[in-house]
Amino acid sequence: KKRYLVGRRAKHDFKLGDFFFPADLEDRQVTARAYQFSRPWGVTVRWHDFAVLLSKSNPDFLEFHLSFKDMDEDYRKFFTKPYDLDLKVHSPDTFEGDHLLDLSHPDQAHRERSLAELQRVINLTRELKPFFRNTVTPQIIASLGGFRVDRFLTREEIAIRYETLGNSLALLDMDGVELIAQTLPPFPWYFGGQLYLNLFVHPDDTADFCARYGMRLCLDVCHSKLACNYFKYSFKEFLDTVAPYVTHLHMADAAGVDAEGLQIEEGEIDFPALVVQLRELCPEASFIPEIWQGHKNEGEGFWIALEKLEKMKF
């Protein structure tokens, strides 16, 4: 039985002969429980589901993945008490009016709008902090930009974009929070189309930027696997290069150049080898399982991933 990826987000669909079988027909049952890992771990949540997912297991932190609509919702109505947890927040990539966050954009108006939106995320994170007793400096994960609609940038153009990004970051009030950049895939999908990404895609310039500006990373292993597949990098060497700057991990499998968020061991990543490498390179980095549609059925995709990673002694 060979598994075929069907479109970008058909993460587990497969084909036998002439028939496609959607993922929701796969026979998989899992019951959430308490898990044990050698590093802090959490789950990705939204305002409306964090209490349910939290009741099922024992995460060390919650990572709120915000949409721009979540930004305008009264989050206080979902909190009835403070929690003995750490807090992370994932910034929206897109905002009202189809604005794509990009602090490196050559257009000043686009950069200024991006700065204003990201500052709103920072301010909201500071407001959330009192609800999480175990957080000292909450981390904000963000895709900081570098998009283009028609082609990849040259190395010279990439260097200019990084310089612009560094100047933009200096304009943010980040008191009390830590902004961490997410490693990115070469071909993200936004607004129904595929774009070209240029920052936090290549290992050397990612590491150089982090060293120059004191930036730490959220290593999204499936994003970086896709980048390695497309640009013909060694995945192991990519990780060796960026690992000194990694403070947080998004764990999911990947295939080809644009199939991301697959369940653990259902793509092309050698997870047993990856777990060994990450234990050596960044043993204290926290992680979440970031499985596409993992929140469905009260987090079933997350619990499946955690079962697998726990068996690997991650």
Side-chain angles (χ1 to χ4, degrees), residues 203-268:
D204 291 337
D205 59 38
T206 297
D208 289 345
F209 180 85
C210 291
R212 182 177 178 184
Y213 290 96
M215 173 72 70
R216 294 204 292 176
L217 290 173
C218 167
L219 171 63
D220 187 307
V221 298
C222 76
H223 287 173
S224 294
K225 174 62 174 175
L226 298 178
C228 289
N229 285 350
Y230 182 77
F231 292 108
K232 310 302 182 186
Y233 297 137
S234 159
F235 187 45
K236 181 180 184 302
E237 292 176 5
F238 185 107
L239 299 179
D240 286 339
T241 301
V242 304
Y245 309 100
V246 171
T247 180
H248 185 48
L249 300 156
H250 284 174
M251 301 291 284
D253 216 332
V257 298
D258 65 354
E260 61 182 270
L262 281 69
Q263 183 57 259
I264 304 298
E265 296 191 302
E266 293 192 2
E268 298 172 353

Side-chain angles (χ1 to χ4, degrees), residues 61-251:
F61 63 88
L62 298 178
E63 182 172 320
F64 285 87
H65 280 219
L66 302 178
S67 70
F68 74 85
K69 291 183 178 179
D70 293 332
M71 296 287 299
D72 294 326
E73 193 164 3
D74 181 10
Y75 67 86
R76 294 173 184 83
K77 66 184 181 183
F78 298 100
F79 289 87
T80 59
K81 62 180 181 179
Y83 295 91
D84 293 325
L85 295 169
D86 200 353
L87 165 69
K88 300 183 193 295
V89 171
H90 196 303
S91 170
D93 294 337
T94 60
F95 293 85
E96 188 173 7
D98 289 347
H99 178 83
L100 187 55
L101 189 76
D102 191 344
L103 274 64
S104 77
H105 202 283
D107 179 70
Q108 182 176 348
H110 192 108
R111 291 198 310 276
E112 290 178 350
R113 169 77 189 277
S114 294
L115 281 166
E117 298 293 3
L118 188 52
Q119 188 64 61
R120 290 179 61 217
V121 177
I122 293 169
N123 297 343
L124 175 59
T125 302
R126 283 196 285 252
E127 291 179 19
L128 288 171
K129 181 179 174 180
F131 291 100
F132 295 86
R133 295 192 184 104
N134 291 356
T135 192
V136 177
T137 305
Q139 292 179 327
I140 300 170
I141 300 101
S143 301
L144 294 174
F147 303 93
R148 191 173 170 114
V149 298
D150 56 346
R151 64 173 174 86
F152 287 112
L153 299 175
T154 65
R155 287 193 174 274
E156 292 75 16
E157 291 171 320
I158 290 173
I160 293 171
R161 286 288 193 107
Y162 271 124
E163 186 77 21
T164 302
L165 172 59
N167 293 335
S168 295
L169 291 173
L171 300 175
L172 292 168
D173 171 13
M174 291 190 281
D175 184 50
V177 304
E178 180 184 12
L179 181 67
I180 61 175
Q182 181 175 214
T183 61
L184 298 172
F187 300 110
W189 286 74
Y190 291 107
F191 315 127
Q194 197 173 57
L195 303 181
Y196 297 79
L197 253 176
N198 298 276
L199 304 187
F200 304 101
V201 173
H202 307 284
D204 291 337
D205 59 38
T206 297
D208 289 345
F209 180 85
C210 291
R212 182 177 178 184
Y213 290 96
M215 173 72 70
R216 294 204 292 176
L217 290 173
C218 167
L219 171 63
D220 187 307
V221 298
C222 76
H223 287 173
S224 294
K225 174 62 174 175
L226 298 178
C228 289
N229 285 350
Y230 182 77
F231 292 108
K232 310 302 182 186
Y233 297 137
S234 159
F235 187 45
K236 181 180 184 302
E237 292 176 5
F238 185 107
L239 299 179
D240 286 339
T241 301
V242 304
Y245 309 100
V246 171
T247 180
H248 185 48
L249 300 156
H250 284 174
M251 301 291 284

